[in-house]
Amino acid sequence: MQPGIFITMEGIDGAGKSTHIERLATLFRTQGRTVVVSREPGGTPLAEKIRSVLLAERMDSLSEALLMFASRREHIVDVIAPALRRGEVVISDRYTDSSFAYQGGGRQFDTSKLDTLEAWVQDAGADVQAVVPDLTLWFDLPAEVAAARLSTARAPDKFESESVAFFGRVIAAYARRQQQNPSRIARIDAHQSVEDVWQQVLRTIQQRGWGAP
Ligand code: TYD
């Protein structure tokens, strides 16, 4: 059996992850791999219920962080860990780096508490390694450009309604995460055409020895 591959996609709202998630899934499927495409917060029926609360209701920052990680725990236990054990490819639209970026950066919530939650929640059991992505693609786009893209989209949710300053802090936190994890997190310059962005994604995937034509 081939080993499972866990890829996560990150970036501020409006950075354009969605198109590339679909293309990446298609790429792995054409190579005969089983692909699970999922998202956070969400990815299981219970985690999707938590998502609808998180995206609509204002709340205390610790409550928000706890709910993000509770939804993540459900996602890991029910979806991510079982699929990886079966040797499948899991592509998640957001994962723990989002909590460091949005709660840690955007909300300026205590990062050491997030470190603790990360260690608890990503622990998949004594005999199994922690559920850490093999690769994270960080779609980096200036906050003003993302805001302009979003202004023409549907009604904004709780996070999308945040200020450009909030998203500036989210981006700075993503950059710090990338500096701390340079081999796991690849920065994709998202301020380019869809095709140019896709070429960067493809190159990054191929550098790992996956998805060669
Ligand atoms: P997303 O699915 O990208 O939103 P949409 O469906 O509108 O494109 O993400 C939902 C929001 O949740 C996004 O604004 C970021 C936020 N979020 C956090 O604040 N912390 C987290 O840990 C995660 C996973 C998401």
Side-chain angles (χ1 to χ4, degrees):
M1 194 177 78
Q2 287 173 297
I5 301 174
F6 183 26
I7 299 174
T8 60
M9 312 288 264
E10 294 286 352
I12 58 172
D13 296 86
K17 295 171 275 120
S18 311
T19 319
H20 302 289
I21 291 174
E22 283 317 313
R23 286 195 183 191
L24 206 49
T26 305
L27 180 77
F28 280 107
R29 286 189 183 116
T30 55
Q31 298 185 347
R33 301 286 306 234
T34 300
V35 182
V36 177
V37 175
S38 198
R39 69 171 180 183
E40 289 201 356
T44 80
L46 174 54
E48 289 290 330
K49 284 190 190 166
I50 300 175
R51 176 190 176 92
S52 52
V53 174
L54 277 166
L55 266 53
E57 308 284 345
R58 297 259 155 213
M59 63 184 77
D60 166 75
S61 303
L62 172 59
S63 307
E64 187 175 272
L66 290 169
L67 284 177
M68 288 293 177
F69 276 97
S71 119
R72 178 158 307 125
R73 180 71 189 170
E74 288 298 307
H75 193 209
I76 290 172
V77 171
D78 281 4
V79 177
I80 301 173
L84 294 176
R85 276 189 215 110
R86 291 192 299 267
E88 296 173 5
V89 178
V90 178
I91 304 174
S92 184
D93 184 349
R94 302 189 179 281
Y95 191 60
T96 303
D97 297 311
S98 277
S99 299
F100 281 87
Y102 281 77
Q103 281 65 54
R107 301 258 189 261
Q108 300 173 294
F109 181 74
D110 183 354
T111 314
S112 67
K113 289 188 178 139
L114 298 177
D115 286 331
T116 304
L117 290 171
E118 177 182 33
W120 283 352
V121 166
Q122 291 184 190
D123 181 357
D127 55 337
V128 197
Q129 284 201 319
V131 184
V132 178
D134 295 296
L135 172 67
T136 298
L137 297 170
W138 164 39
F139 291 77
D140 187 19
L141 187 72
E144 297 78 9
V145 180
R149 286 189 188 173
L150 283 178
S151 66
T152 56
R154 54 187 164 51
D157 64 33
K158 184 181 83 178
F159 291 101
E160 288 162 355
S161 312
E162 290 290 348
S163 64
V164 167
F166 175 94
F167 284 107
R169 291 197 298 276
V170 174
I171 293 171
Y174 272 128
R176 278 196 298 277
R177 269 311 255 182
Q178 203 255 336
Q179 278 161 11
Q180 291 158 355
N181 303 274
S183 57
R184 173 175 66 81
I185 305 180
R187 177 183 173 273
I188 302 290
D189 177 5
H191 200 184
Q192 311 229 345
S193 71
V194 174
E195 212 36 58
D196 288 345
V197 173
W198 172 243
Q199 288 308 318
Q200 295 178 58
V201 171
L202 205 51
R203 269 201 304 279
T204 309
I205 293 291
Q206 289 171 348
Q207 276 162 7
R208 308 281 161 139
W210 309 320

